[in-house]
């Protein structure tokens, strides 16, 4: 498969809005996107005082509709009560779920960016979120919440715009991506490169990722075989199933560049230090580790 083409087309979501930014969008790496499209969803209504906004940040392979993956938490009379709050979630820059990413058409070439998509960072994602925030006329965000890659975006925004959030809840995330995390991501990208970015490479990459998402005790409790088989183990089929499941719905080039963006996360970059950046956050924080 040619490296300049994307396997999957952009997958639009139902019940969403599309924000078009028809100006050049500068990236931290120095490259420029000639235009930007951002898919987002809103649930509930903005109140008269504009102080009931909850901004939900999604993880690496999720989409802009948190009801798809946090449906137990968001909705009428649920923890994030949409009868009381105005819940906003924007698909991240570089994704394949409607926001500009490797599957998008490069207006210069008329072809999908594919492997030629520019390098993006967490700060670029936050900059895109801020465009949606301004488009919606949001001044204050009552609560920002997100896990993993979403938590990285939340922390970056809380540092970039210190008075925007009243409360933040970063989950299973970090202030700077670790060498261990980068090593896992690089190994996944090596699988994608070795497969020429085909579906099998994405399946292998996801299987590698699962090893970092699950503790060995979890595998022992849920994937141990208690018979005398010599092949076709539960753990083996589990790894293959997880890879196949992602391959059915996600673009390998998006996975490649989003993992690079995750590696770029360092809220201390050009801000003296991580500690100095964290001290600048004004919001009250509940940090949850897994």
């Amino acid at each position: 498969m040619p490296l300049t083409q994307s396997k999957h087309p952009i997958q639009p979501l139902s019940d969403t809005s599309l924000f078009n930014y028809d100006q050049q969008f500068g990236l931290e790496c120095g490259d420029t996107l000639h235009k930007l499209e951002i898919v987002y969803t809103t649930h509930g209504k903005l109140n008269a005082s504009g102080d009931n906004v909850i901004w939900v940040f999604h993880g690496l392979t999720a989409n802009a509709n948190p009801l798809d993956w946090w449906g137990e938490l968001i909705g009428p009379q649920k923890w994030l009560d949409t009868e009381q709050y105005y819940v906003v979630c924007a698909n991240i820059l570089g994704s394949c779920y409607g926001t500009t990413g490797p599957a998008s058409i490069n207006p210069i070439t008329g072809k999908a960016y594919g492997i030629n998509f520019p390098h993006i960072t967490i700060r670029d994602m936050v900059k895109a979120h801020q465009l949606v925030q301004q488009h919606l006329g949001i001044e204050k965000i009552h609560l920002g919440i997100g896990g993993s890659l979403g938590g990285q975006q939340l922390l970056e925004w809380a540092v970039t715009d210190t008075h925007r959030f009243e409360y933040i809840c970063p989950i299973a995330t970090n202030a700077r991506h670790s060498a261990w995390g980068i090593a896992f991501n690089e190994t996944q990208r090596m699988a994608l490169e070795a497969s020429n970015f085909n579906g099998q490479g994405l399946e292998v990459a996801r299987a590698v990722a699962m090893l970092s998402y699950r503790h060995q005790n979890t595998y022992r409790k849920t994937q141990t075989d208690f018979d005398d088989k010599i092949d076709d183990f539960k753990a083996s089929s589990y790894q293959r199933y997880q890879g196949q499941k992602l391959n059915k719905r996600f673009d390998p080039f998006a996975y490649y560049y989003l993992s690079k963006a995750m590696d770029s996360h360092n809220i201390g970059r050009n801000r003296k230090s991580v500690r100095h950046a964290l001290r600048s956050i004004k919001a009250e924080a509940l940090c949850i580790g897994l």
Side-chain angles (χ1 to χ4, degrees):
M1 179 174 129
L3 292 182
T4 56
Q5 295 182 2
S6 177
K7 175 183 174 182
H8 299 293
I10 295 173
Q11 304 175 47
L13 300 169
S14 59
D15 192 28
T16 63
S17 298
L18 178 65
F19 172 66
N20 286 288
Y21 186 71
D22 293 325
Q23 303 177 42
Q24 290 193 340
F25 184 83
L27 300 170
E28 188 178 4
C29 70
D31 288 340
T32 299
L33 291 171
H34 294 279
K35 66 176 184 177
L36 186 62
E37 294 181 335
I38 305 172
V39 164
Y40 67 93
T41 63
T42 61
H43 305 271
K45 295 183 179 180
L46 186 65
N47 63 17
S49 55
D51 61 359
N52 68 330
V53 177
I54 294 177
W55 199 290
V56 177
F57 299 82
H58 71 73
L60 192 150
T61 64
N63 59 36
N65 189 355
L67 300 186
D68 285 350
W69 38 271
W70 264 5
E72 301 89 345
L73 302 180
I74 300 172
Q77 301 182 23
K78 294 185 178 180
W79 186 57
L80 301 181
D81 188 352
T82 52
E83 293 180 348
Q84 180 180 357
Y85 296 107
Y86 182 58
V87 179
V88 180
C89 182
N91 185 224
I92 56 176
L93 178 66
S95 180
C96 57
Y97 285 119
T99 296
T100 299
S104 302
I105 300 300
N106 182 342
I108 304 301
T109 65
K111 299 179 180 179
Y113 283 100
I115 195 61
N116 296 316
F117 194 69
H119 180 65
I120 56 174
T121 68
I122 299 298
R123 292 185 184 179
D124 296 324
M125 294 178 180
V126 169
K127 184 178 174 182
H129 288 323
Q130 290 171 323
L131 292 177
V132 176
Q133 168 239 316
Q134 295 162 14
H135 170 69
L136 293 174
I138 293 171
E139 293 296 330
K140 192 72 175 179
I141 299 175
H142 175 68
L143 169 68
I145 183 169
S148 188
L149 181 68
Q152 291 180 336
Q153 296 163 62
L154 171 58
L155 287 175
E156 175 62 34
W157 197 351
V159 170
T160 302
D161 203 355
T162 56
H163 295 282
R164 186 69 61 192
F165 296 89
E166 186 176 1
Y167 300 98
I168 60 173
C169 182
I171 303 169
T173 193
N174 45 39
R176 179 177 184 174
H177 206 45
S178 68
W180 183 72
I182 293 171
F184 262 107
N185 284 344
E186 185 65 21
T187 304
Q188 294 175 67
R189 290 191 293 268
M190 289 167 65
L192 291 170
E193 293 166 352
S195 70
N196 201 27
F197 290 85
N198 66 22
Q200 186 176 13
L202 183 59
E203 291 178 13
V204 173
R206 186 62 161 187
V208 170
M210 295 307 300
L211 298 176
S212 68
Y213 299 159
R214 304 285 186 264
H215 191 273
Q216 63 171 326
N217 288 340
T218 302
Y219 278 90
R220 177 177 56 80
K221 292 177 180 179
T222 64
Q223 304 302 326
T224 298
D225 293 279
F226 294 99
D227 52 24
D228 296 326
K229 65 172 58 177
I230 63 170
D231 197 3
D232 192 27
F233 298 105
K234 287 183 179 179
S236 300
S237 61
Y238 178 78
Q239 293 299 100
R240 291 183 180 275
Y241 167 73
Q242 293 296 335
Q244 292 163 2
K245 187 168 67 169
L246 183 69
N247 184 39
K248 291 178 180 178
R249 68 174 182 86
F250 212 74
D251 175 60
F253 293 113
Y255 198 87
Y256 186 85
Y257 279 104
L258 291 180
S259 69
K260 278 184 169 289
M262 177 178 278
D263 293 351
S264 78
H265 178 58
N266 175 8
I267 65 170
R269 185 169 59 252
N270 300 321
R271 294 174 178 146
K272 295 184 179 180
S273 68
V274 167
R275 179 173 295 184
H276 180 82
L278 285 172
R279 284 176 174 171
S280 71
I281 296 176
K282 305 300 181 185
E284 293 190 44
L286 171 63
C287 303
I288 301 176
L290 300 178

